[in-house]
């Protein structure tokens, strides 16, 4: 065997030893290298990440439905959600959300981010919205025929429903973009669920990428002269969103990731 053949063989053996999660990390490094807030990776880069994530299973990250994180101990409020941190830098983050049955990640946004979400196991309902336009918040009171005991003005913004469906693993990776694909979403676990998330770039409060939560109101709840539906459009496909504080009782607890390790480079 020549030296060149020997080197090729060694390279193939090294490639075989690369874990799926290491391949994900290495690809994220390349795909997000020239990206930043509001900058979407190239179509080729998106396809590369999507293909890797589509092929990943719970075995690749060492999670399973019988882990203690999925036991429901609370009698009221939100069941606790667990987050396993795999990696983070200023360009991207990789982590896993573990949601017990009935666990909810309330409606929240992903400012200036491209996000890949892979459901590893379980059945989850996802409801997601995008802003109708870049319009500012509208300070408005409910319609006069509203059943509200007290009519108080609130600041709301119109959003369009993009996703409202149940998803059961195995299923393809979902992708949301800074202004499309359902940038604001809510996860509701119907069974024990694990979601592998890649965010590019990650949340960063000092840089203005704060996780904002929302409350929804039906389209008919408010009236705005410049917000009329076109013929054929359904009011249930739209909602008014109001910014709110982090919901009381929502607890996302960090835990140690014990799956295949990532060698950060």
């Amino acid at each position: 065997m020549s030296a060149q053949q020997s080197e090729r063989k060694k390279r193939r053996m090294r490639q075989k030893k690369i874990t799926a999660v290491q391949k994900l990390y290495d690809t994220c490094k390349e795909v997000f290298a020239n990206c930043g807030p509001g900058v979407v990776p190239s179509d080729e880069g998106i396809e590369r990440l999507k293909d890797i994530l589509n092929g990943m299973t719970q075995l690749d990250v060492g999670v399973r439905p019988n882990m203690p994180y999925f036991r429901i101990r609370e009698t009221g409020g939100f069941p606790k959600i667990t987050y396993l941190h795999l990696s983070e830098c200023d360009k991207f983050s990789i982590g896993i959300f573990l949601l017990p049955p009935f666990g909810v990640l309330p409606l929240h946004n992903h400012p200036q981010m491209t996000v890949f979400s892979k459901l590893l196991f379980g059945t989850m309902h996802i409801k997601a919205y995008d802003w109708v336009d870049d319009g500012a918040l509208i300070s408005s009171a409910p319609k006069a025929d509203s059943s509200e005991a007290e009519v108080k003005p609130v600041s709301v913004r119109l959003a369009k429903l993009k996703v409202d469906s149940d998803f059961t693993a195995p299923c393809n990776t979902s992708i949301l973009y800074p202004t499309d694909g359902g940038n604001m979403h809510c996860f509701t676990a119907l069974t024990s669920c694990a979601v592998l998330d890649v965010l590019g770039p990650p949340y960063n409060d000092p840089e203005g990428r704060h996780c904002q939560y929302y409350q929804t109101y039906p389209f008919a709840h408010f009236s705005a002269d410049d917000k009329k539906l076109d013929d054929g459009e359904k009011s249930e496909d739209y909602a008014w969103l109001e910014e709110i504080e982090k919901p009381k009782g929502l607890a996302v607890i960090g835990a140690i990731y014990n799956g295949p390790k990532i060698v950060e480079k």
Side-chain angles (χ1 to χ4, degrees), residues 143-187:
K143 288 185 175 180
D145 58 358
S146 170
S147 60
E148 297 280 343
E150 294 182 32
V151 179
K152 297 180 180 179
V154 295
S155 294
V156 293
R157 186 176 172 185
L158 189 61
K160 185 171 184 178
L161 184 66
K162 299 301 291 279
V163 180
D164 189 13
S165 301
D166 292 346
F167 294 83
T168 299
C171 56
N172 287 334
T173 302
S174 64
I175 308 172
L176 60 86
Y177 303 93
T179 60
D180 192 23
N183 185 275
M184 297 155 289
H185 65 201
C186 171
F187 286 172

Side-chain angles (χ1 to χ4, degrees), residues 65-112:
N66 63 350
M67 297 175 86
Y69 307 120
F70 297 107
R71 297 171 189 161
I72 301 176
R73 298 183 178 87
E74 288 73 24
T75 57
F78 295 100
K80 289 181 181 178
I81 294 168
T82 302
Y83 179 75
L84 306 180
H85 168 81
L86 276 67
S87 181
E88 181 171 334
C89 63
D90 62 344
K91 293 290 187 179
F92 65 89
S93 66
I94 304 173
I96 303 170
F97 286 96
L98 305 178
L99 290 82
F102 313 112
V104 178
L105 277 174
L107 188 66
H108 61 282
N109 70 346
H110 305 82
Q112 300 180 298

